[in-house]
Amino acid sequence: MRPRPITRCQRLFRSSSTTSSSALRTPPIGSDVEALNAGVNALTSVSSERSTGGYGQLHGLSIAIKDNICTSSLPTTCSSAILQQYQSPFDATVVRLLRDAGAHIVGKTNCDEFGMGSLNLNSVHGPVINPFQTAPNVPAAQMEHRSAGGSSGGSAASVAAGICDAALGTDTGGSVRLPASYCGVVGLKPSYGIISRWGVISFADSLDCVGILGKSVGIVKRVFDTVATYDPRDPTAATPDLRERACQFNSPFLSVTTSTHQPRSLEGLRIGVPIEYFPSELDPSIVDVLRTVLRRLGEAGAALTSVTVPATQYTLSAYYVIASAEASSNLARFDSVRYGLRTAPPPGANTSKSSDVFAHSRCAGLGKEVQKRILLGTYALTADAFDNYFLQAQRIRGHVRRDFDRVFRHPCALLERPFPPEDGVDVLLHPSAIRTAPPLDRRAQESHSGGKAALGLSEYLQDIMTVPASLAGLPALSIPAGTGADRWPVGVSVVGQWGCDNLVMHVGKAIEELC
Amino acid sequence: MNLVRPRPIWRAQCHWKSQELWRFKGLRGIHKQRERVEDRRWPGWEVVVGIEVHAQIKSRKKLFSGEYDSGVTTAFVGDTKKAPNTAVSCFDAALPGTLPSLNPKCVELAVRTALALNAHVQRRSAFDRKHYFYPDLPSGYQITQRYAPLARGGYLKLSRGDVTVRITQLQLEQDTAKSTFHAGRRVSLIDLNRAGSGLMEIVSEPDMRSPEEAGDYVRTLQTLLRAVGSSDGSMELGSLRCDINVSVNRHGQAPGTRCEIKNLNSIKFMMTAITSEVFHHIELLESGRTVPQETRGFDEDKAETFKLRSKEDSPDYRYMPDPNLPPLLLSQEYIERVRSSMPELPSETRVRLLSMGLSERDADVLMTVDAGREVGFDGEIGKGACLSHRMTHDLLGQLAARKETFSDNPVSVKHMGELIDMVQSGKVTGTSGKTLLRHMISHRSLDSPSKLAKELGLIALSRDDSSLVKEWCLEAIEELPQQAEAVRKGNLPVLNKLVGKVMKLGKGRANAETVRTLLLALLRQER
């Protein structure tokens, strides 16, 4: 199967000096996909296979794969210039599981370079345009260009645009939940270690999770049930006995929500609202949406209580130290010796050290944001800074985890001797993002956030709601729950104890039905 | 095997405090322990040597490459004959998306070694990443165990004198690829075959006081590694590499500044390098200068050490815990299981032989015969190891039956070795071997075993000769694919290389002309 590059939509912020492919002769499915993709720029390559031969539990489901997950039949670029020509010799375990289950792989989805970004602006393929529109049939010229969120922006947008039924993304600090919220689709970041990372190109190994985006919780769950199996090739995968342990811990609470009785009663379900998740930056109309959701859940019988997760205030800084440190290590392999875009040093350049030679390729092949984070991470790991940055961040991470363990009444299966509080909650509920999808027009955005310097920070702030669950490795699901003052989608997040992925999805389903 | 109980995911961090691996407080203790030895070469000076040994683990697969690699290649470690870049998995080449999985065989062999070194195997050890950019390091970092090594504390008794060298720690780590600079083309060539192979880093305390003791330490360690089957321990082939720390001080004074000598590829060179370094230090100190802390290399032609880089130039390796690898947790039962399945250690063999009434010299002779009877890959105690023991036992049994002592033993070490080789290579069968041994003792024959075997008609010939020669030819073609290809393309002089290989494989038993004809026929046939 030969991959075919997608016709690029207009490049908003990058000068298009490189190739722009011509119109292609395509089979019906491919052309439909391309038509839907035009103007969204969600896909980076389209599969020419019409469907898979398999007749598994996912037969008939079309799924797009984020471009940092290896596929042997399509390029895997990570939206980076350095891997623009890269073709992996193997399929990631998740891709193999999907194929085996009969799913049709539609193509690869655009993303922030190596998963670094929250707006899907840092991509060699150009930004993804949020396909959501406040009114139907808006002419292209009058369409409002908003960000699809990042880093799995292409995955969320391809689901929202109807290109596929579901999409795989990756979530390191919110990269599935944030775009899901902005695009108005469902996005699941499972518990860390539940879905195999073999074949997923590492950003930060201890945080990376494969996530699933779909139109509904039902579809997300179908895909999850297929790919959430133990893989011995992933050394961080939860072992079968650990999965069993988590399952057994949580079963008594599951029965509450699994009743199919309509109207669904949520009697016995305890929902916590963490008070730290309402920062001053939070858009007030998002709080209104959350209130409505809470009211309906309460009416359905759920007990609501406010809880506190004090370490939340430090999570963003801890996250950026840990993620950047791991990224600086993981991305060290892109030296262009064995693969990747190679830029020879100019004549006369100092080539006495290999790092001097590699620097030319790395400077040309890695984008600004990626370089920024590599530098930050490199600094955090130097002997002088290690204690104050890296170790300190790890300590905060420990606090975050303990804070969550004090909130949930479900025991953490990862602990030898967990002591869950009896009056703890089943799940937490909070907004998925501090705002609706930000406009893509850079000037509008700058005026919105007050200058260029603040722009960088405000992009990092997008992750403030999603990072704590990432640091603690907890399952989190973003579900569209209404619209904000600007009539763009607003997502709310359900977060559960480690291993309670099913419980989180059950609560998500309830919200889907109630809202 | 329930070896690794991965408790995902995140690692406890409190133990993560930087620590100095060289503990000089230990050094002071030794100063008291060791008697002052005056060395005629440098009267009034004391030499202090510590050694870091990197021994390649003799496992079939690499340390982290995994059994599940989707690629066709299986990495066989230590096979230096393999064509470059043919024993490489996706993980070894650091392709994006690959993850490490720990090879339990490497752990077992390292635990064996640690136990043989009387070290404390840690119930919990962990893996760290050491970062630097170099073309022979595909992922940009080496996975090692800097902060929580596999084993700590141990000792090795040297063969001469009453010297005990303490072992600081033993850790697992990855080997790098091999880079060769091609002067003609002015390029570096990278061979990834070695990349990701398992290494044991064995760090000694600075307990040695002379180049000779250092040489004895490495030799004794080699014997031990081979006996437990954890490494070939060959400095010449690069499966054992040493970094030497040397410092010099006047007797009774505090230890001097140490320098590290790298890249030494034989024990002889190592001892010469230490001597050269000692004189270098003394020269500096006597002229009133100080010894700068440096990393030094060794020039084999000049028999001198030279400066590679000073301490200030030493890179910041930015160690961090490997987020992919959970801590390695070993149960006491596991450690005991490894202990009970270990081959006999050289020191134990020695004690056993001595208890059988052998003199020290005789025990040494027998152990030399035994040396090289290797344990197979992954520590499998195969035919070879058992065989040598059996033969030694047989010999002792035969002698005992004849009421003779070992010193009356008419079988020379050389002949004994040859006999064992003959049995192992299948030239004579095990039964014939015993017959031969009995014959040698009873007839006090001074003839070589192979001659005797021929005379006695004991040479094994399971196949006819021509099929054997053909087999060697095919083997030679497989082992020298580039040369074979050259011959196929008409480069006939290269054929001699292949013929030479066949002669080597057949230990000179084949007819060169026959081999030539057969090789050509085989290469044409293949096309």
Side-chain angles (χ1 to χ4, degrees):
Chain A
M1 254 128 315
R2 302 207 72 196
R4 288 167 298 102
I6 274 285
T7 314
R8 302 257 158 70
C9 82
Q10 62 194 109
R11 285 162 178 269
L12 290 177
F13 304 131
R14 277 174 196 249
S15 59
S16 49
S17 55
T18 48
T19 54
S20 177
S21 57
S22 54
L24 291 147
R25 193 174 49 82
T26 52
I29 286 180
S31 61
D32 289 352
V33 165
E34 285 198 10
L36 289 168
N37 185 55
V40 180
N41 197 27
L43 298 186
T44 59
S45 56
V46 177
S47 167
S48 56
E49 51 190 298
R50 294 192 180 202
S51 65
T52 50
Y55 281 89
Q57 63 266 41
L58 296 185
H59 178 68
L61 217 61
S62 59
I63 299 182
I65 311 284
K66 189 175 176 181
D67 213 11
N68 63 351
I69 301 176
C70 291
T71 45
S72 55
S73 59
L74 293 165
T76 303
T77 70
C78 287
S79 289
S80 179
I82 208 157
L83 289 182
Q84 212 164 5
Q85 308 297 325
Y86 184 70
Q87 175 83 48
S88 177
F90 54 82
D91 272 335
T93 302
V94 271
V95 173
R96 181 177 54 76
L97 289 169
L98 290 178
R99 284 192 204 278
D100 290 352
H104 166 55
I105 307 295
V106 181
K108 302 299 284 286
T109 62
N110 200 344
C111 57
D112 276 305
E113 187 175 1
F114 289 104
M116 298 179 196
S118 307
L119 298 172
N120 217 130
L121 294 173
N122 313 321
S123 166
V124 77
H125 308 291
V128 177
I129 289 126
N130 196 324
F132 183 86
Q133 292 304 319
T134 46
N137 307 320
V138 187
Q142 283 157 33
M143 265 173 60
E144 196 180 350
H145 280 172
R146 290 218 186 186
S147 165
S151 66
S152 310
S155 299
S158 60
V159 171
I163 294 171
C164 53
D165 299 308
L168 291 187
T170 59
D171 190 313
T172 306
S175 289
V176 160
R177 293 159 282 163
L178 196 64
S181 177
Y182 287 172
C183 294
V185 299
V186 178
L188 170 74
K189 179 206 96 78
S191 305
Y192 180 85
I194 291 293
I195 298 181
S196 169
R197 286 192 300 120
W198 170 264
V200 178
I201 299 182
S202 297
F203 161 11
D205 294 302
S206 75
L207 295 158
D208 291 346
C209 294
V210 174
I212 302 157
L213 298 108
K215 273 258 150 96
S216 69
V217 177
I219 285 180
V220 169
K221 179 151 168 57
R222 257 177 88 190
V223 177
F224 175 81
D225 288 343
T226 305
V227 296
T229 59
Y230 172 66
D231 176 16
R233 275 199 264 190
D234 177 357
T236 56
T239 51
D241 56 306
L242 199 55
R243 286 164 201 258
E244 190 122 316
R245 198 171 131 105
C247 184
Q248 155 208 325
F249 275 165
N250 304 322
S251 48
F253 308 99
L254 265 182
S255 61
V256 173
T257 49
T258 45
S259 87
T260 47
H261 183 257
Q262 291 290 352
R264 186 188 287 262
S265 164
L266 297 177
E267 210 70 54
L269 181 75
R270 297 173 59 86
I271 297 176
V273 181
I275 54 171
E276 288 82 4
Y277 284 61
F278 298 88
S280 54
E281 294 86 355
L282 184 64
D283 185 326
S285 69
I286 287 183
V287 182
D288 296 339
V289 172
L290 186 75
R291 269 204 199 99
T292 311
V293 174
L294 287 170
R295 199 185 60 235
R296 294 201 178 137
L297 287 168
E299 284 163 7
L304 308 175
T305 141
S306 79
V307 297
T308 173
V309 191
T312 304
Q313 52 180 318
Y314 307 112
T315 50
L316 206 55
S317 17
Y319 166 79
Y320 274 99
V321 170
I322 293 171
S324 305
E326 291 187 19
S328 77
S329 174
N330 286 327
L331 270 60
R333 69 189 56 206
F334 300 109
D335 54 17
S336 301
V337 171
R338 298 163 309 284
Y339 50 81
L341 174 83
R342 183 158 192 183
T343 309
N350 183 6
T351 56
S352 58
K353 277 198 209 151
S354 19
S355 49
D356 294 332
V357 180
F358 297 171
H360 294 280
S361 295
R362 286 170 69 81
C363 285
L366 300 173
K368 278 280 167 287
E369 182 62 27
V370 172
Q371 289 185 28
K372 201 200 285 181
R373 296 202 197 189
I374 288 176
L375 287 174
L376 173 65
T378 302
Y379 173 69
L381 289 178
T382 53
D384 291 341
F386 188 78
D387 278 24
N388 284 337
Y389 288 81
F390 189 78
L391 284 191
Q392 194 65 18
Q394 296 286 5
R395 274 180 218 117
I396 291 171
R397 192 173 186 180
H399 283 303
V400 174
R401 210 171 298 139
R402 279 188 294 278
D403 277 0
F404 278 120
D405 286 340
R406 275 194 283 266
V407 162
F408 292 116
R409 63 162 149 169
H410 307 236
C412 176
L414 300 169
L415 297 173
E416 293 285 355
R417 281 179 295 275
F419 292 106
E422 270 176 36
D423 58 346
V425 299
D426 294 308
V427 290
L428 298 177
L429 195 71
H430 59 76
S432 299
I434 54 171
R435 55 166 303 167
T436 54
L440 262 184
D441 184 339
R442 182 150 277 192
R443 267 163 307 174
Q445 200 175 39
E446 272 170 30
S447 66
H448 179 86
S449 57
K452 204 164 183 180
L455 174 66
L457 270 184
S458 83
E459 190 179 340
Y460 293 160
L461 263 180
Q462 308 290 314
D463 298 336
I464 198 160
M465 303 295 199
T466 48
V467 155
S470 293
L471 282 178
L474 305 180
L477 179 76
S478 177
I479 313 118
T483 52
D486 55 5
R487 290 184 294 143
W488 279 73
V490 170
V492 295
S493 282
V494 183
V495 177
Q497 177 57 285
W498 188 90
C500 296
D501 301 70
N502 280 324
L503 175 61
V504 163
M505 281 186 276
H506 279 295
V507 176
K509 189 139 186 65
I511 295 173
E512 200 173 54
E513 285 164 6
L514 290 168
C515 299
Chain B
M1 191 192 321
N2 188 21
L3 157 67
V4 190
R5 284 181 289 136
R7 275 317 244 157
I9 294 137
W10 26 75
R11 178 157 312 148
Q13 285 86 28
C14 34
H15 73 282
W16 243 74
K17 272 279 166 196
S18 12
Q19 51 173 284
E20 189 59 33
L21 293 182
W22 268 63
R23 284 172 290 164
F24 275 95
K25 57 178 192 297
L27 184 72
R28 258 176 251 126
I30 266 292
H31 267 252
K32 278 178 206 139
Q33 284 168 27
R34 294 289 299 271
E35 263 175 50
R36 172 176 166 165
V37 190
E38 195 68 24
D39 196 313
R40 245 180 291 166
R41 288 166 291 186
W42 35 77
W45 294 97
E46 182 177 50
V47 172
V48 178
V49 180
I51 302 183
E52 271 172 41
V53 167
H54 292 92
Q56 202 171 60
I57 301 174
K58 194 175 172 185
S59 58
R60 277 199 186 85
K61 290 184 173 172
K62 296 183 181 181
L63 186 53
F64 293 114
S65 306
E67 300 167 62
Y68 309 97
D69 208 281
S70 43
V72 277
T73 52
T74 324
F76 280 88
V77 170
D79 191 346
T80 43
K81 287 174 289 184
K82 268 212 143 84
N85 296 311
T86 54
V88 187
S89 72
C90 294
F91 175 79
D92 303 330
L95 295 193
T98 55
L99 294 170
S101 44
L102 181 60
N103 177 355
K105 292 288 180 193
C106 292
V107 177
E108 188 182 334
L109 289 172
V111 169
R112 262 193 203 178
T113 312
L115 293 173
L117 288 167
N118 311 291
H120 305 293
V121 176
Q122 305 292 294
R123 299 280 301 278
R124 179 190 185 283
S125 62
F127 296 95
D128 309 306
R129 292 182 181 176
K130 173 184 181 175
H131 299 90
Y132 59 91
F133 284 107
Y134 207 73
D136 69 10
L137 190 66
S139 59
Y141 56 82
Q142 176 197 33
I143 304 177
T144 176
Q145 293 194 298
R146 180 174 161 89
Y147 292 99
L150 186 78
R152 290 180 197 269
Y155 61 87
L156 182 66
K157 274 196 156 63
L158 301 192
S159 71
R160 256 161 288 153
D162 190 21
V163 182
T164 301
V165 175
R166 290 166 302 157
I167 305 294
T168 313
Q169 66 178 51
L170 182 149
Q171 67 195 52
L172 284 168
E173 59 185 37
Q174 292 176 301
D175 208 342
T176 58
K178 209 182 259 175
S179 63
T180 334
F181 187 69
H182 194 287
R185 284 160 56 198
R186 293 196 51 76
V187 288
S188 285
L189 302 172
I190 307 291
D191 176 9
L192 292 176
N193 283 357
R194 202 179 68 180
S197 302
L199 289 179
M200 293 178 285
E201 180 176 311
I202 303 167
V203 184
S204 89
E205 295 282 336
D207 285 356
M208 287 147 278
R209 290 293 170 272
S210 68
E212 291 70 30
E213 282 184 10
D216 193 357
Y217 171 78
V218 175
R219 247 180 244 118
T220 313
L221 189 59
Q222 281 176 324
T223 316
L224 181 135
L225 295 175
R226 287 170 192 158
V228 298
S230 59
S231 174
D232 280 336
S234 163
M235 282 185 87
E236 288 75 13
L237 294 176
S239 58
L240 187 136
R241 304 188 283 275
C242 298
D243 296 342
I244 315 283
N245 282 289
V246 182
S247 77
V248 165
N249 58 274
R250 290 193 196 271
H251 278 296
Q253 287 188 358
T257 310
R258 67 191 156 91
C259 283
E260 188 181 32
I261 317 171
K262 279 194 176 291
N263 309 335
L264 298 161
N265 52 22
S266 81
I267 293 182
K268 201 181 115 216
F269 285 143
M270 180 188 90
M271 289 162 64
T272 316
I274 296 172
T275 311
S276 151
E277 187 64 16
V278 168
F279 282 124
H280 172 69
H281 283 210
I282 292 175
E283 196 186 309
L284 285 170
L285 293 170
E286 281 185 335
S287 63
R289 282 173 287 176
T290 53
V291 177
Q293 194 172 335
E294 286 175 346
T295 302
R296 298 176 66 84
F298 180 66
D299 184 326
E300 290 169 13
D301 299 327
K302 290 190 195 154
E304 274 176 11
T305 57
F306 61 91
K307 178 178 165 174
L308 281 174
R309 59 165 190 258
S310 68
K311 198 201 171 198
E312 294 77 58
D313 302 336
S314 72
D316 186 334
Y317 291 121
R318 309 193 309 278
Y319 287 96
M320 78 170 219
D322 193 301
N324 280 327
L325 291 158
L328 173 62
L329 304 175
L330 301 175
S331 65
Q332 199 56 47
E333 298 82 69
Y334 169 79
I335 298 169
E336 289 314 317
R337 208 161 53 231
V338 174
R339 197 194 299 276
S340 62
S341 68
M342 266 172 56
E344 194 173 48
L345 295 178
S347 57
E348 291 167 0
T349 314
R350 212 180 148 82
V351 169
R352 190 166 51 82
L353 290 175
L354 291 177
S355 73
M356 291 170 99
L358 268 70
S359 73
E360 293 224 356
R361 212 198 97 252
D362 296 341
D364 282 345
V365 169
L366 264 187
M367 285 179 60
T368 317
V369 173
D370 262 358
R373 308 296 135 215
E374 286 169 354
V375 183
F377 280 104
D378 290 344
E380 282 158 13
I381 301 167
K383 258 196 329 201
C386 297
L387 184 73
S388 66
H389 279 295
R390 211 172 59 216
M391 291 299 257
T392 314
H393 271 283
D394 275 351
L395 175 62
L396 291 170
Q398 298 269 349
L399 289 171
R402 308 179 74 86
K403 299 206 173 8
E404 289 175 25
T405 67
F406 188 79
S407 40
D408 299 326
N409 174 23
V411 185
S412 70
V413 173
K414 191 172 150 244
H415 284 172
M416 186 71 189
E418 191 183 335
L419 177 60
I420 293 173
D421 277 340
M422 282 168 67
V423 180
Q424 268 184 352
S425 64
K427 211 168 157 190
V428 298
T429 62
T431 329
S432 309
K434 278 185 190 166
T435 315
L436 210 52
L437 182 63
R438 218 172 297 131
H439 181 91
M440 284 156 81
I441 295 170
S442 54
H443 292 81
R444 305 201 151 264
S445 166
L446 295 177
D447 288 332
S448 76
S450 50
K451 186 170 169 220
L452 282 174
K454 238 172 250 163
E455 280 175 15
L456 298 171
L458 292 172
I459 296 285
L461 262 188
S462 50
R463 287 162 288 214
D464 63 65
D465 283 346
S466 71
S467 76
L468 206 57
V469 173
K470 186 173 173 189
E471 208 166 86
W472 293 331
C473 289
L474 287 171
E475 203 180 328
I477 292 170
E478 196 170 87
E479 286 195 15
L480 302 170
Q482 284 164 326
Q483 283 84 349
E485 192 49 43
V487 175
R488 275 188 211 114
K489 286 188 178 138
N491 191 349
L492 282 179
V494 179
L495 187 61
N496 288 333
K497 278 247 158 87
L498 288 163
V499 175
K501 184 82 204 174
V502 175
M503 299 311 274
K504 210 167 156 192
L505 288 169
K507 299 192 177 65
R509 277 179 288 162
N511 178 299
E513 207 44 53
T514 325
V515 171
R516 255 188 118 73
T517 327
L518 190 55
L519 274 173
L520 275 177
L522 284 169
L523 287 170
R524 291 214 176 99
Q525 202 178 345
E526 274 181 33
R527 296 196 75 179

